[in-house]
């Protein structure tokens, strides 16, 4: 039985790195939560300044260093051994937390805002390492689960830090003493955990560092733009941080002026949002079958818009003064609805962000990954600065926070449509993911028999119009499907097939030109090391039994002698998209949620594969069920 993502904790690297980064996130959020609550409920009145303005200044000061220092940090992460860099960054964190203690004891808001800037600087140094170190220790199969756990750990730390910081700042002098002690203890524990991270070799030891932040930032952007899918994924990640910055920054004041809640209610709302992201991140591997499933990204985008809109509809007013404690707040109409919305915004945020990070790590050239991550951090900073500026403009001109959440939800839909139009692969994978997780219940056996790299031909029995979607949604590697041209042209499915670069084909008598073009494309794909899937029967079964295999597979292997991977689909004859005729309504209903089994056998050498031998193997794999 395949191990799940939690087995990664058995690895010395992953457990040590997980604790190190989680404790760093915990410390950040103890400090930030305490500071934001202090601003929202105390400092604004004491200084005579608008708390909305102070909150947005705080958000801008924390993310500004990512813009200023990320390009240099990416080069440093590329050039030097990463475990030693992490330890030095954790020492810096201890120093910054020591300065933060002085700020809380003096209650100097401007000094504390300066410390927040230093925390952003320390985080900007760690950012390129955080995501570029994972592919150096984890396999491609482990990347999605590893990223999911890192995001889960980060947001669990946000939950705990948010609660601790928010609660302690409400206990006056005693709370501040405990808060300051925790900041030092947690940073020291983070340094201790970092000492157990194994050595991680430099990716570019001879890299000459360009210390000019302006020119290097431009070069870093050029690195990120080299791969279109990676660059647009980074734009998607940056948009998520825009979206997240809006919620995390505005929730304290949203609680006060829209929900009539006090600082404890604000802490609960922030924690609910963060729990949601942690849960969504952890669920990604389960929902995607241990592979980078791009279909989760549109799914996440839909949820981010839907539930944010409902926050507005549940709380259209904005004229309270923040008096209610948790019990009184929960007794109000719409309170539970708001909490549920915040939780689902977080959950769908996890579905959205984790596959994007894993995709960047998987498809980016490893020698440039730290610099690409640095470019990602720069764009994240720009988007978060824009979020702060937009919030300041909108809220400063009379827009309420619920209205601002509604605007953000609408913008999210626009951005998602734009990205998915530029990269239709996301939408294509979403449609496949919906298909195989709603209409079908897919079981898979032997999928590890498909080679991790190199060219091969996959052969399978042909039972339904969606055979290619089920196979493509189950196998980790991208597959070029060869399919009858009339199936290729079916509405909706045609979009998926074209996006997946399927190869339409016809019989020699029907369209010899299309046949020759298809054979040339197949040969070209195999020469490029791709996986090509053919259905040697040449047509769908009309009675549930396998048709004889055509000689086309032998012709392909003659020109491109690559391994052949036999597989068989079981159960699809009884499903919705087969040619089986059903008259009774009850039988039509039974065709929904059909149990389907994909069985994959070990590769067969090209010189041992004939149409007759492959027919025998696939028929055996099919078993008793067509």
């Amino acid at each position: 039985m395949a191990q799940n993502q939690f087995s990664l904790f058995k690895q010395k690297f992953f457990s040590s790195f997980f604790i190190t980064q989680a404790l760093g996130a915990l410390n950040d959020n103890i400090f930030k939560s305490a500071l934001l609550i202090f601003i929202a409920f105390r400092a604004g009145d004491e200084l005579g300044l608008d708390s909305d303005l102070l909150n947005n200044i705080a958000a801008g000061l924390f993310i500004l260093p990512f813009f200023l220092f990320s390009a240099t940090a990416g080069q440093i992460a590329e050039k030097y051994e990463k475990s030693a860099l992490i330890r030095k960054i954790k020492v810096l964190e201890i120093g910054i937390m020591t300065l933060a203690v002085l700020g809380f004891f003096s209650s100097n808001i401007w000094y504390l805002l300066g410390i927040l800037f230093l925390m952003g600087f320390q985080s900007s140094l760690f950012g390129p390492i955080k995501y570029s170190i994972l592919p150096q220790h984890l396999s491609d199969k482990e990347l999605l689960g590893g990223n999911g756990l890192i995001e889960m750990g980060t947001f669990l730390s946000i939950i705990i830090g948010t609660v601790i910081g928010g609660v302690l700042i409400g206990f006056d002098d005693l709370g501040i003493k405990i808060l300051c002690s925790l900041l030092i203890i947690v940073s020291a524990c983070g340094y201790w955990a970092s000492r157990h991270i194994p050595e991680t070799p430099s990716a570019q030891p001879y890299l000459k560092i360009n210390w000019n932040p302006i020119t290097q930032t431009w070069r870093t952007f050029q690195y990120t733009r080299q791969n279109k899918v990676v660059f647009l994924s980074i734009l998607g990640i940056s948009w998520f941080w825009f979206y997240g910055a809006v919620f995390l920054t505005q929730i304290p004041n949203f609680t006060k002026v829209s929900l009539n809640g006090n600082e404890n209610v604000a802490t609960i709302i922030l924690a609910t949002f963060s729990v949601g992201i942690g849960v969504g991140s952890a669920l990604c591997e389960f929902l995607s079958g241990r592979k980078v499933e791009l279909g989760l990204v549109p799914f996440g985008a839909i949820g981010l818009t839907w539930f944010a809109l409902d926050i507005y509809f549940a709380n259209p007013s904005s004229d309270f003064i923040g008096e209610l404690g948790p019990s009184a707040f929960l007794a109000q109409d719409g309170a539970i609805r708001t909490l549920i919305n915040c939780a689902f915004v977080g959950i769908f945020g996890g579905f959205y962000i984790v596959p994007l990070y894993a995709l960047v790590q998987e498809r980016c050239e490893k020698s440039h990954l730290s610099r690409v991550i640095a470019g990602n951090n720069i764009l994240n900073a720009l988007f978060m600065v824009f979020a702060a500026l937009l919030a300041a403009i909108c809220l400063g001109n009379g827009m309420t926070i619920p209205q601002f959440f509604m605007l953000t939800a609408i913008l999210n839909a626009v951005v998602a449509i734009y990205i998915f139009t530029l990269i239709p692969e996301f939408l294509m994978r979403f449609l496949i993911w919906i298909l195989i997780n709603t209409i079908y219940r897919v079981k898979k056996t032997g999928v590890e028999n498909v080679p991790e790299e190199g060219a091969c031909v996959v052969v399978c029995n042909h039972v339904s119009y969606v055979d290619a979607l089920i196979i493509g949604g189950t196998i980790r590697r991208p597959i070029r499907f060869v399919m009858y041209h009339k199936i290729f042209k079916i509405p909706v499915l045609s979009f998926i097939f074209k996006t997946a670069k399927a190869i339409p084909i016809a019989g020699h008598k029907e369209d010899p030109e299309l046949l020759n073009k298809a054979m040339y494309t197949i040969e070209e794909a195999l020469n490029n090391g791709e996986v090509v899937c053919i259905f040697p029967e040449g047509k769908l079964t009309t009675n549930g039994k396998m048709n004889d295999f055509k000689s086309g597979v032998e012709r392909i292997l003659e020109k491109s002698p690559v391994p052949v991977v036999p597989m068989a689909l079981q159960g699809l004859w009884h499903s919705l998209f087969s040619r089986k005729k059903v008259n009774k309504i009850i039988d039509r209903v039974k065709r929904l949620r059909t149990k389907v089994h994909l069985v994959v056998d070990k590769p067969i050498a090209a010189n041992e594969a004939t149409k007759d031998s492959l027919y025998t193997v696939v028929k055996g794999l099919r078993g008793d069920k067509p």
Side-chain angles (χ1 to χ4, degrees), residues 495-516:
F495 164 76
I496 298 176
F497 297 146
K498 287 179 181 177
T499 305
K501 298 181 180 179
I503 305 168
I505 197 169
H508 179 73
K509 294 181 179 179
E510 185 178 7
D511 192 338
E513 184 178 347
L514 182 59
L515 173 62
N516 291 331

Side-chain angles (χ1 to χ4, degrees), residues 64 76 97 104 110 133 160 227 235 266 275 379 400 405 428 432 470 485 502 550 575-576:
L64 182 59
I76 292 172
M97 290 301 105
F104 276 116
W110 299 114
I133 197 173
I160 299 169
N227 184 313
L235 286 180
V275 166
L379 283 175
T400 66
F405 285 165
M428 178 268 290
I432 293 176
I470 293 174
H485 69 102
K550 307 293 184 181
S575 72
L576 188 63

Side-chain angles (χ1 to χ4, degrees), residues 360-514:
V360 170
Q361 293 164 338
E362 183 179 74
R363 298 199 184 181
C364 180
E365 187 178 345
K366 298 300 181 284
S367 61
H368 290 77
L369 181 56
S370 292
R371 280 171 282 179
V372 168
I373 295 297
N376 169 70
N377 291 342
I378 293 169
L379 283 175
N380 290 353
L382 286 172
F383 274 67
M384 287 190 285
V385 168
F386 179 63
L389 291 174
L390 185 63
I393 293 170
C394 292
L395 298 177
N397 284 277
M399 182 178 285
T400 66
I401 295 177
Q403 288 171 344
F404 188 53
F405 285 165
M406 180 179 68
L407 174 64
T408 304
I410 295 170
L411 289 175
N412 179 72
V414 172
V415 170
I417 291 170
Y418 174 71
I419 292 177
F420 303 148
T421 300
L422 293 178
I423 313 180
E425 182 181 0
F426 284 101
L427 186 56
M428 178 268 290
R429 293 298 310 181
F430 173 62
L431 293 174
I432 293 176
W433 184 79
I434 288 292
L435 176 74
I436 65 175
N437 285 280
T438 55
I439 297 177
Y440 298 115
R441 290 172 289 171
V442 181
K443 178 183 176 182
K444 50 195 176 184
T445 301
V447 291
E448 68 278 0
N449 289 323
V450 179
E452 288 290 330
E453 55 185 24
C456 69
V457 171
V458 169
V459 297
C460 187
N461 57 319
H462 206 4
V463 191
S464 76
Y465 292 104
V466 294
D467 293 350
L469 303 188
I470 293 174
I471 295 170
T474 305
I475 303 301
R476 283 183 54 85
R477 292 184 63 185
I479 300 178
R480 299 286 300 275
F481 288 94
V482 182
M483 59 180 59
Y484 185 50
H485 69 102
K486 290 186 178 179
I487 295 179
F488 181 87
K489 295 176 182 177
I490 294 175
V492 180
L493 297 183
S494 177
F495 164 76
I496 298 176
F497 297 146
K498 287 179 181 177
T499 305
K501 298 181 180 179
I503 305 168
I505 197 169
H508 179 73
K509 294 181 179 179
E510 185 178 7
D511 192 338
E513 184 178 347
L514 182 59

Side-chain angles (χ1 to χ4, degrees), residues 64-123:
L64 182 59
F66 287 89
F67 176 69
L68 297 175
F69 306 114
S70 287
T72 303
Q75 294 176 91
I76 292 172
E78 213 88 84
K79 181 176 177 65
Y80 297 104
E81 193 273 314
K82 290 183 176 64
S83 65
L85 285 176
I86 292 174
R87 288 191 289 274
K88 292 175 182 177
I89 292 170
K90 300 307 286 186
V91 170
L92 176 61
E93 181 184 327
I94 294 173
I96 294 172
M97 290 301 105
T98 302
L99 295 175
V101 168
L102 299 176
F104 276 116
F105 276 117
S106 65
S107 297
N108 188 323
I109 186 64
W110 299 114
Y111 177 87
L112 288 170
L113 288 173
I115 297 301
L116 191 63
F117 177 84
L118 292 179
M119 288 177 61
F121 168 68
Q122 183 253 345
S123 297

Side-chain angles (χ1 to χ4, degrees), residues 273-304:
F273 179 73
S274 301
V275 166
I277 295 180
V279 170
S281 299
L283 285 174
C284 280
E285 187 189 55
F286 171 76
L287 292 174
S288 62
R290 302 197 73 195
K291 65 179 189 292
V292 179
E293 180 50 77
L294 302 184
L296 287 177
V297 180
F299 187 51
I302 292 169
L304 286 173

